[in-house]
Amino acid sequence: MAANQTDFTVPIPEDHSHQMQFQVCTEEDFDYSQRGQWLRAALLGANDGLVSVSSLMMGVGAVKHDPKAMILSGFVGLVAGACSMAIGEFVSVYSQLDVEVAQKKRERRTVENQEEKEKEQLPNPMLAAVASALAFSLGAIVPLLAASFVEDHKVRLGMVVAAVSLALVVFGWIGSILGGTPVFKSCFRVLLGGLIAMAITFGLTKLIGSSVI
């Protein structure tokens, strides 16, 4: 009589180490420079909107106690600055695009995949212009809103400084997250630059305005 044969299998656990290693490598090897086209324009626009418009409003506030003059100067700065940033970014990025396209033509690359990949990495002038204008407007709205609902002159100036300082920290934090840079260094650099710009504008305007008036 033949002995009974029992078939059995030993389960082998799946090896997820390769998959985990792939995920880690993907996160670590992520190329943050791919965001450079719009990130630079957006951060530059937002920071410029905050600093330039708030500095303009602080300068007017140094010699004028009328809230309408301060708010009107901020609004004019918003519109003019947004248009200037958009046009400037478009011209600058388009010039960069022309240089890179001319360089690629000189190199005469023949591999189709390589050419398609490089085309995707070319700068987009319109994207940079729109990002810069919108970001500038977003940054400029902060000091305008901070000054619009305060009657007392000194409190209004303080509100502008406080609101702009908070916004500068937030924008610095966003830029560090998107760019993969140290958070504290980015926030401190942006905040310090904005405060210095407002202080210089306020001080010089106060000095010159007082001597003229």
Side-chain angles (χ1 to χ4, degrees):
M1 181 176 180
N4 293 333
Q5 295 181 350
T6 304
D7 295 334
F8 64 95
T9 58
V10 177
I12 301 176
E14 296 182 3
D15 185 8
H16 297 283
S17 60
H18 178 71
Q19 182 179 0
M20 293 177 62
Q21 183 180 3
F22 176 76
Q23 293 177 351
V24 172
C25 292
T26 302
E27 295 177 357
E28 293 180 350
D29 296 339
F30 180 77
D31 186 7
Y32 287 95
S33 63
Q34 295 177 359
R35 297 172 173 171
Q37 296 181 15
W38 59 269
L39 179 59
R40 181 188 63 85
L43 290 180
L44 177 62
N47 186 74
D48 196 21
L50 275 171
V51 175
S52 62
V53 174
S54 61
S55 298
L56 176 63
M57 294 174 64
M58 293 293 292
V60 174
V63 294
K64 293 286 186 180
H65 289 194
D66 185 8
K68 292 183 180 179
M70 190 173 178
I71 295 173
L72 180 60
S73 66
F75 179 76
V76 173
L78 186 157
V79 176
C83 295
S84 176
M85 289 293 293
I87 295 173
E89 281 295 328
F90 183 84
V91 173
S92 176
V93 177
Y94 209 100
S95 299
Q96 178 185 353
L97 175 63
D98 290 340
V99 172
E100 293 189 13
V101 170
Q103 177 64 26
K104 294 182 189 307
K105 287 182 179 180
R106 286 193 294 267
E107 293 175 354
R108 295 181 180 179
R109 300 190 180 276
T110 58
V111 182
E112 294 182 358
N113 294 335
Q114 183 68 19
E115 289 180 352
E116 292 178 359
K117 182 178 180 181
E118 290 176 354
K119 288 179 181 179
E120 292 177 357
Q121 295 176 351
L122 290 176
N124 188 328
M126 187 59 66
L127 178 62
V130 172
S132 182
L134 291 179
F136 185 96
S137 302
L138 178 62
I141 287 175
V142 174
L144 279 172
L145 291 178
S148 297
F149 305 101
V150 181
E151 293 295 333
D152 185 79
H153 178 65
K154 292 183 179 179
V155 176
R156 186 167 62 251
L157 292 177
M159 284 294 295
V160 170
V161 174
V164 170
S165 298
L166 178 60
L168 286 171
V169 172
V170 171
F171 285 151
W173 174 76
I174 294 175
S176 66
I177 296 299
L178 295 178
T181 58
V183 175
F184 178 79
K185 183 183 294 185
S186 177
C187 294
F188 179 77
R189 181 172 57 243
V190 173
L191 176 61
L192 182 62
L195 292 177
I196 291 175
M198 287 189 290
I200 291 175
T201 305
F202 181 86
L204 289 179
T205 308
K206 184 73 172 178
L207 178 63
I208 296 174
S210 299
S211 60
V212 172
I213 295 176

